[in-house]
Amino acid sequence: MAHVVLIPGFCRRTVGAICTQAASWRSTASTLRHLTLTSIMKSKRKTDHLERTASVLRREVVAAAKVCEIAHESPSVKSLRLLVPDKDFSFKAGQWVDFFIPGVSVVGGFSICSSPQLLEQERIIELAVKYTNHPPAVWVHNKCTLDSEVALRVGGEFFFDPQPTDAPRNLVLIAGGVGINPLLSILRHSADLHRDQADKGSSYEIGTIKLFYSAKNTSELLFKKNILDLVNEFPEKITCSLHVTKQMTQISAELKPYVTEGRITEKEIRDHISAETLFYICGPPAMTDFFSKQLETSHVPKEHICFEKWW
């Protein structure tokens, strides 16, 4: 889904033989230039991702990528794992990619939901795409297959990238629907920082992380197993509160301790305000507007509130 960036201021699965074979694949620079330039020239929709994010910083690298795994994350969302051999391709947790598809004139904009460390170690990134009538989403759901080839370019000013000498910060992540994607990347990156700190004692020392995540029902809570695995791995550091607004079936015993029926409330968020806490919000415009304004009203500094709207 194409999105607008408005910023005021793990479970790793084994990559199979398909990814191993794909490691030898390369697209030529001329092919990539033709693909991206043609897509940019033809992408004319008024609500197009490229137009909405025209003023947002992007990396110069346009990298070839090959689909090496496809999965159904919910009835309406597919996830893709893509092999990106180009070692000049990198991203910060929370950023998105311009998604160039051969034969599709409209450029997609999808947030990365994997951690930077997965890319560094295995040259893999993960995306989760909700079905809509937007051409890139239609392609992902109806035409994309294993070994499909695309091109990617990283962009976005919504990210968490602490340096080793930075002061420790707590994080509150507030997600609505598919807005979990960039926040899951931040959550996974935070878990990697915890592991590095425990193993080496040399990386950034992060504080606590609280995830608030709302969806229509439990079947639309994406990556819930991954999230709960991290909660169980770091019980003193990572906690989550899952919310469902239109649940029609019984909630499973495994999820019940973490699920609340009803929307995320202002009071829940207000209880986590402190001088050391950063707030990251991603979801529908009404949701991001509500929580960012409520945080400002509660005297949270603007530079501690980062948000991204999904349309």
Side-chain angles (χ1 to χ4, degrees), residues 10 14 18 21-22 33 54 56 63 68 107 113 118 146 171 190 207-208 215 222 224 226 238 256 266-267 292 297 306:
F10 231 132
T14 302
I18 291 172
Q21 294 167 2
R33 282 197 299 270
V56 178
C68 60
V107 177
C113 55
L118 181 63
L146 292 177
L171 301 182
S190 300
T208 60
L222 309 180
K224 47 189 171 284
N226 299 148
I238 299 176
K256 204 159 189 176
E266 175 191 350
K267 182 183 183 304
S292 60
T297 301
C306 299

Side-chain angles (χ1 to χ4, degrees), residues 80 82 97-101 106-110 127 139-140 150-152:
L80 304 180
L82 299 111
V97 291
D98 295 329
F99 194 83
F100 301 96
I101 307 164
V106 179
V107 177
F110 303 126
L127 308 176
W139 181 86
V140 168
V150 297
L152 308 173

Side-chain angles (χ1 to χ4, degrees), residues 1-4 43 45 47-54 58 96-99 106-110 134:
M1 182 183 295
H3 60 277
V4 169
S43 198
R45 292 173 69 251
T47 57
D48 179 71
H49 161 71
L50 289 182
E51 293 178 358
R52 287 184 172 185
T53 61
R58 286 169 162 82
W96 40 258
V97 291
D98 295 329
F99 194 83
V106 179
V107 177
F110 303 126
H134 194 237

Side-chain angles (χ1 to χ4, degrees), residues 164 192-205:
D192 286 337
L193 292 173
H194 279 311
R195 295 186 190 101
D196 290 345
Q197 176 68 22
D199 294 343
K200 307 169 188 175
S202 57
S203 80
Y204 174 75
E205 183 178 353

Side-chain angles (χ1 to χ4, degrees), residues 62-280:
V62 179
K66 178 169 281 192
V67 176
C68 60
E69 188 175 332
I70 303 172
H72 289 273
E73 295 299 334
S74 81
S76 63
V77 176
K78 271 190 177 181
S79 66
L80 304 180
R81 285 165 71 92
L82 299 111
L83 180 73
V84 191
D86 188 344
K87 292 187 178 179
D88 289 329
F89 179 90
S90 65
F91 73 96
K92 298 174 182 178
Q95 289 187 303
W96 40 258
V97 291
D98 295 329
F99 194 83
F100 301 96
I101 307 164
V104 177
S105 62
V106 179
V107 177
F110 303 126
S111 287
I112 302 167
C113 55
S114 51
S115 72
Q117 193 172 102
L118 181 63
L119 177 65
E120 292 167 7
Q121 295 179 350
E122 301 182 29
R123 302 311 307 165
I124 297 291
I125 71 163
E126 187 171 2
L127 308 176
V129 180
K130 187 177 179 68
Y131 182 81
T132 68
N133 61 4
H134 194 237
V138 171
W139 181 86
V140 168
H141 280 260
N142 297 338
K143 296 184 179 181
C144 178
T145 62
L146 292 177
D147 293 338
S148 287
E149 300 174 1
V150 297
L152 308 173
R153 178 176 59 196
V154 171
E157 298 159 355
F158 178 90
F159 57 81
F160 178 60
D161 185 39
Q163 302 305 301
T165 56
D166 289 349
R169 294 288 190 183
N170 302 319
L171 301 182
V172 172
L173 312 177
I174 307 170
V178 77
I180 187 63
N181 288 341
L183 300 184
L184 182 63
S185 178
I186 292 173
L187 183 66
R188 286 169 159 169
H189 182 48
S190 300
D192 286 337
L193 292 173
H194 279 311
R195 295 186 190 101
D196 290 345
Q197 176 68 22
D199 294 343
K200 307 169 188 175
S202 57
S203 80
Y204 174 75
E205 183 178 353
I206 194 169
T208 60
I209 303 106
K210 176 71 177 188
L211 171 67
F212 292 94
Y213 178 20
S214 177
K216 182 172 65 175
N217 53 53
T218 53
S219 68
E220 292 292 344
L221 287 168
L222 309 180
F223 302 104
K224 47 189 171 284
K225 182 181 183 304
N226 299 148
I227 293 167
L228 294 185
D229 283 346
L230 292 178
V231 169
N232 291 326
E233 183 179 356
F234 301 101
E236 296 181 359
K237 288 287 189 178
I238 299 176
T239 57
C240 74
S241 178
L242 309 177
H243 288 248
V244 291
T245 58
K246 296 180 180 179
Q247 184 73 18
M248 301 298 290
T249 59
Q250 187 172 355
I251 298 170
S252 70
E254 179 187 17
L255 285 178
K256 204 159 189 176
Y258 305 97
V259 174
T260 299
E261 296 198 48
R263 298 183 184 278
I264 303 166
T265 67
E266 175 191 350
K267 182 183 183 304
E268 288 177 282
I269 305 302
R270 194 169 56 239
D271 287 345
H272 291 271
I273 292 175
S274 75
E276 297 78 30
T277 301
L278 304 179
F279 293 84
Y280 286 82

